[in-house]
């Protein structure tokens, strides 16, 4: 495809070497055309074993964890190498992820590259040691220091929807904090991770074994990484179902687990808001990248009196955002990642109908696109908040519109979910908005269209949406241990 992807397929990165996979190669497919783009190394269990061993050795036998300035320098080198290859990376991202071009100047590519600066700066400026002063215990006066240190070997397991954002939001802070890493990306987007191997070996001084990248079409390699006693921590982004398996797998070695999981977030519209505008905005965001975002507000809660207007406004917006070619600058909704994912979305449309829902617009394959995993953005009306489509994460462009009976009822409905990842509140009266913000149990909230995504803003979930926070100082500190040192005063 281009210089970063060799004709025979992308290699693994293990112990500083670019290597073929012990299980051959596997295909990566363009979801917009269904064509095989090319191949990625298919790692074997032995490859994963070697990657973990390399990460362990790099952590235990080098000064990586203690040389803060060098790590900052290396993380900036990686950022600059990615910037220098931005056109290649953009082409790969659009082709492999089906990401609309417009998103690659933001969270699909350029945003997370820039965010590496925040991680590098933290490596340099973080207060690694705090003097607690003296304390007398049982007649002995001691001086105490709290030191923060890297956790050790980090296993990073990532999904396919925003691969650069999620890979780099783990790699950047984990490296800046002094850890070594084994990255296992999703089988659907191996190239987005594997190209980092080429950039790291060619354009950075990151020592051998500090970053290892293991592509595979076998989920069991993820489980292997989770269970291996040489791995100190697992940072996982993916579905809640897999997150449970990761947590269980990590229990045998009492491993630290950092989980970014699914969501079914609510957009709450109060009766003094511009209901049609809020509905339209929400519909637009759910159509973006074909609804494949964990933090999207896929439940629209609107006042009963404004229900019909909200449904109409959402449907009008979505009808204007038909699924289209991701290479085109005007495309908002590209394809979903795979036939499996499209089948899943279509199954939920059927379930919505079977539960009495009305498909107001979309939910079908666009007639003018016989190839590619496209599905037109859909608005589902007339189901309750306990309907399957209102409770389960679909990960496709489906917005469910549900009526509420006032602010308290809206809070109750928003919280009636296993998830608690994100959400939004729309209203004019500041006091009422504040009450709703206080009442919703979720990790991130947007008020009247405020945007929360940035390098310094911690992101993560309440309830079954996860444990821990990614990005921000909190996201950096996830990758740190705490060591208390006491000496006689
Ligand atoms: P997934 O859970 O199917 O897979 C995620 C990763 O886990 C993949 O790399 C996969 O190979 C690996 N894996 C699968 N089984 C495993 C096991 N038993 N042990 C260890 N690893 C295993 O998720 P997906 O379909 O790739 O991505 C979509 C999901 O990701 C959605 O639920 C979405 O909400 C979630 N997501 C969450 C966030 C967030 O920040 N909270 C961000 C993006 C995506």
């Amino acid at each position: 495809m281009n210089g970063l992807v060799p004709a025979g397929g992308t290699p693994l990165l293990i112990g500083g070497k670019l290597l073929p996979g012990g299980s051959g190669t596997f295909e990566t497919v363009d979801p917009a055309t269904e064509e095989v783009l090319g191949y990625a190394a298919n790692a074997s269990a032995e490859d994963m074993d070697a990657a973990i061993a390399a990460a362990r050795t790099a952590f235990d036998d080098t000064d990586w964890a203690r040389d803060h300035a060098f790590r900052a320098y290396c993380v900036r080198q990686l950022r600059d190498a990615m910037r220098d290859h931005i056109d290649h990376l953009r082409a790969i991202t659009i082709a492999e992820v089906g990401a609309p071009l417009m998103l690659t100047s933001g969270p699909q590519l350029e945003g997370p590259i820039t965010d590496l600066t925040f991680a590098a700066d933290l490596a340099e400026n973080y207060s690694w040691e705090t003097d607690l002063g003296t304390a007398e215990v049982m007649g002995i006066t001691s001086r105490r220091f709290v030191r923060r240190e890297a956790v050790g070997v980090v296993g990073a397991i990532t999904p396919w929807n925003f691969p650069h954002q999620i890979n780099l939001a783990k790699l950047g802070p984990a490296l800046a904090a002094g850890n070594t890493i084994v990255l296992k990306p999703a089988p659907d987007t191996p190239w987005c991770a594997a190209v980092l191997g080429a950039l790291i070996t060619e354009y950075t001084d990151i020592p051998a074994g500090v970053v290892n990248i293991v592509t595979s079409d076998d989920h069991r390699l993820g489980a292997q990484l989770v269970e291996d006693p040489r791995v100190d921590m697992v940072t996982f982004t993916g579905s809640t179902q897999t997150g449970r398996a990761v947590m269980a797998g990590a229990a045998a070695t009492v491993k630290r687990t950092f989980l970014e999981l699914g969501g079914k977030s609510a957009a709450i519209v109060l009766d003094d808001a511009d209901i049609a505008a809020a509905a339209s905005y929400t519909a637009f965001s759910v159509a973006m990248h074909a609804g494949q975002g964990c933090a999207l507000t896929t439940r629209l809660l609107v006042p009963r009196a404004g229900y019909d207007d909200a449904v109409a406004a959402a449907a009008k917006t979505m009808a204007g955002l038909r699924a289209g070619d991701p290479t085109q600058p005007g495309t908002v909704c590209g394809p979903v990642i795979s036939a499996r994912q499209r089948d899943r979305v279509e199954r939920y449309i059927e379930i919505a109908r079977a539960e009495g829902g009305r498909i107001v617009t979309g939910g079908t394959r666009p007639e003018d696109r016989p190839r590619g995993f496209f599905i037109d953005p859909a608005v589902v009306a007339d189901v309750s908040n306990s309907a399957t489509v209102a409770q389960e994460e679909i990960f496709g462009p489906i917005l469910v519109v549900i009526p509420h009976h006032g602010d308290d009822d809206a809070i109750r409905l928003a919280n009636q979910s296993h998830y608690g990842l994100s959400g939004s509140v729309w209203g004019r009266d500041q006091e009422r908005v504040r009450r709703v913000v206080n009442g919703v149990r979720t990790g991130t909230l947007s008020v009247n269209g405020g945007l929360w995504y940035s390098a310094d803003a911690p992101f993560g979930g309440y309830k079954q949406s996860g444990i821990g926070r990614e990005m921000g100082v909190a996201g950096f500190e996830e990758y740190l241990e705490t060591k208390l040192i006491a000496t006689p005063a």
Side-chain angles (χ1 to χ4, degrees):
M1 166 155 211
N2 60 46
L4 289 175
V5 177
T10 52
L12 310 174
L13 174 61
I14 298 175
K17 295 198 175 69
L18 297 174
L19 299 171
S23 299
T25 58
F26 65 105
E27 293 172 349
T28 187
V29 172
D30 183 337
T33 63
E34 301 182 37
E35 279 163 17
V36 174
L37 287 166
Y39 300 88
N42 202 7
S44 61
E46 290 74 24
D47 293 326
M48 179 57 88
D49 187 71
I52 296 168
R56 188 76 258 168
T57 303
F59 186 79
D60 292 340
D61 297 351
T62 76
D63 208 31
W64 174 252
R66 283 161 295 280
D67 194 341
H68 308 318
F70 178 58
R71 295 199 309 275
Y73 170 75
C74 288
V75 171
R76 290 190 189 113
Q77 282 182 314
L78 176 60
R79 175 201 62 194
D80 294 346
M82 293 189 80
R83 281 184 176 157
D84 290 346
H85 292 81
I86 197 74
D87 292 340
H88 286 173
L89 291 170
R90 198 184 314 282
I92 288 170
T93 308
I94 295 168
E96 184 173 70
V97 186
L101 169 65
M102 68 166 70
L103 287 181
T104 63
S105 54
Q108 274 291 9
L109 183 62
E110 293 185 36
I113 294 173
T114 298
D115 293 348
L116 288 174
T117 306
F118 182 82
D121 290 352
L122 269 174
E124 258 171 5
N125 304 328
Y126 190 69
S127 295
W128 298 93
E129 194 160 288
T130 312
D131 185 349
L132 276 189
T134 57
E136 192 186 306
V137 180
M138 293 188 290
I140 299 174
T141 302
S142 301
R143 181 116 191 226
R144 295 90 28 83
F145 299 89
V146 177
R147 190 192 293 163
R148 305 304 305 270
E149 296 181 340
V151 174
V153 174
V154 172
I157 301 174
T158 57
W160 40 261
N161 59 326
F162 281 79
H164 297 297
Q165 200 283 322
I166 298 165
N167 291 339
L168 296 180
K170 296 187 186 307
L171 270 180
L175 293 178
N179 301 277
T180 61
I181 297 179
V182 178
L183 170 65
K184 196 219 76 67
D188 303 279
T189 50
W191 280 4
C192 286
V195 292
L196 295 175
L199 295 175
I200 285 170
T201 50
E202 205 161 328
Y203 301 103
T204 79
D205 295 312
I206 294 176
V210 165
V211 178
N212 305 273
I213 301 171
V214 182
T215 53
S216 164
D217 66 357
D218 185 351
H219 296 308
R220 284 176 303 182
L221 264 69
Q224 182 185 345
L225 183 58
V226 168
E227 289 163 18
D228 194 292
R230 293 167 295 177
V231 176
D232 297 293
M233 167 179 176
V234 172
T235 171
F236 170 81
T237 300
S239 63
T240 295
Q241 191 185 0
T242 310
R244 287 189 197 104
V246 166
M247 215 171 164
T253 48
V254 196
K255 194 165 283 162
R256 184 187 293 204
T257 48
F258 168 37
L259 305 173
E260 292 285 359
L261 308 177
K264 190 75 190 180
S265 301
I268 301 173
V269 186
L270 306 184
D271 61 14
D272 65 348
D274 181 338
I275 295 175
S280 175
Y281 182 100
T282 306
F284 183 92
S285 68
V286 172
M288 201 180 281
H289 192 29
Q292 301 168 111
C294 53
L296 298 177
T297 47
T298 49
R299 287 185 296 151
L300 176 61
L301 309 181
V302 295
R304 176 78 258 180
Y307 186 74
D308 292 343
D309 288 348
V311 169
K316 186 169 175 227
T317 298
M318 278 201 162
L321 296 171
R322 309 258 335 268
D325 182 352
T327 63
Q328 294 307 303
T331 299
V332 171
C333 179
V336 294
I337 190 73
S338 60
R340 172 174 42 84
Q341 193 64 18
R342 184 182 54 192
D343 292 349
R344 177 184 162 91
V345 176
E346 289 178 334
R347 207 164 48 245
Y348 276 107
I349 290 286
E350 284 317 306
I351 291 171
R353 272 205 190 91
E355 293 186 352
R358 177 164 54 100
I359 315 302
V360 187
T361 186
T364 49
R365 302 180 187 193
E367 278 169 16
D368 56 341
R369 299 203 169 271
R371 307 275 301 162
F373 310 123
F374 293 97
I375 187 142
D376 280 330
V379 172
V380 175
D382 302 346
V383 291
S384 78
N385 193 57
S386 50
T388 306
V389 282
Q391 286 295 311
E392 295 186 9
E393 182 182 52
I394 299 170
F395 230 54
I398 300 182
L399 176 67
V400 183
V401 192
I402 296 162
H404 69 74
H405 301 279
D407 300 4
D408 288 340
D409 191 44
I411 295 170
R412 182 185 66 81
L413 291 170
N415 287 336
Q416 195 184 80
S417 168
H418 293 308
Y419 297 112
L421 191 56
S422 156
S424 64
V425 185
W426 300 82
R428 288 203 175 89
D429 182 322
Q430 292 301 310
E431 202 39 54
R432 285 175 62 196
V433 167
R434 196 179 354 257
R435 269 197 72 235
V436 175
V437 166
N438 290 346
V440 179
R441 303 217 355 105
T442 189
T444 306
L445 268 174
S446 154
V447 174
N448 292 325
L451 293 178
W452 42 262
Y453 173 82
S454 71
D456 61 349
F459 171 77
Y462 283 29
K463 301 196 270 184
Q464 295 190 28
S465 286
I467 300 174
R469 290 294 177 271
E470 200 141 72
M471 314 206 13
V473 176
F476 174 77
E477 290 178 335
E478 294 287 347
Y479 297 96
L480 294 176
E481 273 290 6
T482 301
K483 182 178 278 175
L484 188 282
I485 303 157
T487 59

